[in-house]
Amino acid sequence: MDKIKKRWDIGQNWHYIFPLLGVVLLAGTAYIITRRFLHLFELNNTTWEWPFTFLISGLIYWLMLRFFLWCFKKLANKWVVTYRWEMIAIFIVFAITGSVAGKLAGPFTELIGLKKDTVAGWIYWTARIVLIFPIYQVLLVCFGWLFGQFKFFWSFEKKMLKRMGLGFLIP
């Protein structure tokens, strides 16, 4: 525990929630990806189902962990945070926001009258992708606030909108 505490600049016990949540979400993601492969190769309901699941989940978990630790090193100087555990919170916010924005874009697309079966595919998907952008922007700040990273995400949002030429949208 001391190693984790030192590595992630954990000062209080409640800070442990972010590394723990990161590990759980990473393992869950590895498991979901593995189950998709399982169905893709039609290995479900066979004798190889669980050995395949554990082996491939472990491999995917390890690869993603290595990738994210590499990302932490690369972004440590670029993202100004007080404690290293905040980087985990920021990554979690980006992951949740992207997933939720992608899921919400479907109902919003249907809400404006564009349904998959009634319009051309390129119109539907273009509209859906265009709708993801504003949904993502709002959710990024909201989830950032929920995870205690509002200041980081508000400055991130302002910088991104200015770079896109949409700086007039922010006060």
Side-chain angles (χ1 to χ4, degrees):
M1 273 315 219
D2 288 334
K3 217 174 170 183
I4 294 171
K5 191 173 188 175
K6 189 174 181 177
R7 179 178 184 150
W8 295 104
D9 296 330
I10 293 174
Q12 298 176 3
N13 286 340
W14 70 270
H15 294 163
Y16 281 112
I17 189 106
F18 295 107
L20 179 65
L21 192 58
V23 165
V24 168
L25 290 173
L26 197 60
T29 303
Y31 176 77
I32 289 169
I33 291 170
T34 301
R35 296 303 292 183
R36 299 279 169 127
F37 278 127
L38 200 71
H39 293 291
L40 181 68
F41 296 119
E42 297 178 6
L43 291 172
N44 48 326
N45 298 326
T46 67
T47 56
W48 293 101
E49 180 176 8
W50 289 108
F52 180 85
T53 300
F54 287 122
L55 181 69
I56 301 301
S57 290
L59 179 65
I60 291 173
Y61 175 84
W62 183 81
L63 289 171
M64 287 192 307
L65 182 64
R66 289 273 143 238
F67 172 72
F68 288 124
L69 290 174
W70 175 79
C71 288
F72 286 147
K73 283 181 187 175
K74 293 292 181 185
L75 295 170
N77 298 327
K78 194 171 188 170
W79 289 351
V80 180
V81 293
T82 310
Y83 304 104
R84 293 194 71 205
W85 59 264
E86 291 176 308
M87 297 271 295
I88 299 170
I90 290 167
F91 269 67
I92 291 170
V93 168
F94 277 123
I96 291 172
T97 302
S99 300
V100 172
K103 288 286 186 189
L104 287 177
F108 274 109
T109 308
E110 290 191 12
L111 187 69
I112 61 172
L114 298 174
K115 297 188 176 156
K116 233 180 191 178
D117 343 343
T118 59
V119 296
W122 68 272
I123 294 173
Y124 173 81
W125 286 106
T126 302
R128 187 168 173 168
I129 291 168
V130 167
L131 276 173
I132 287 175
F133 179 73
I135 294 169
Y136 184 82
Q137 303 311 314
V138 171
L139 289 177
L140 191 62
V141 176
C142 293
F143 282 123
W145 175 77
L146 283 174
F147 278 81
Q149 300 300 316
F150 177 80
K151 185 179 174 184
F152 174 86
F153 283 104
W154 183 241
S155 66
F156 183 87
E157 194 67 39
K158 289 190 288 189
K159 190 186 323 179
M160 183 170 48
L161 289 173
K162 283 178 186 173
R163 286 183 181 168
M164 296 176 78
L166 300 172
F168 63 89
L169 293 174
I170 50 177

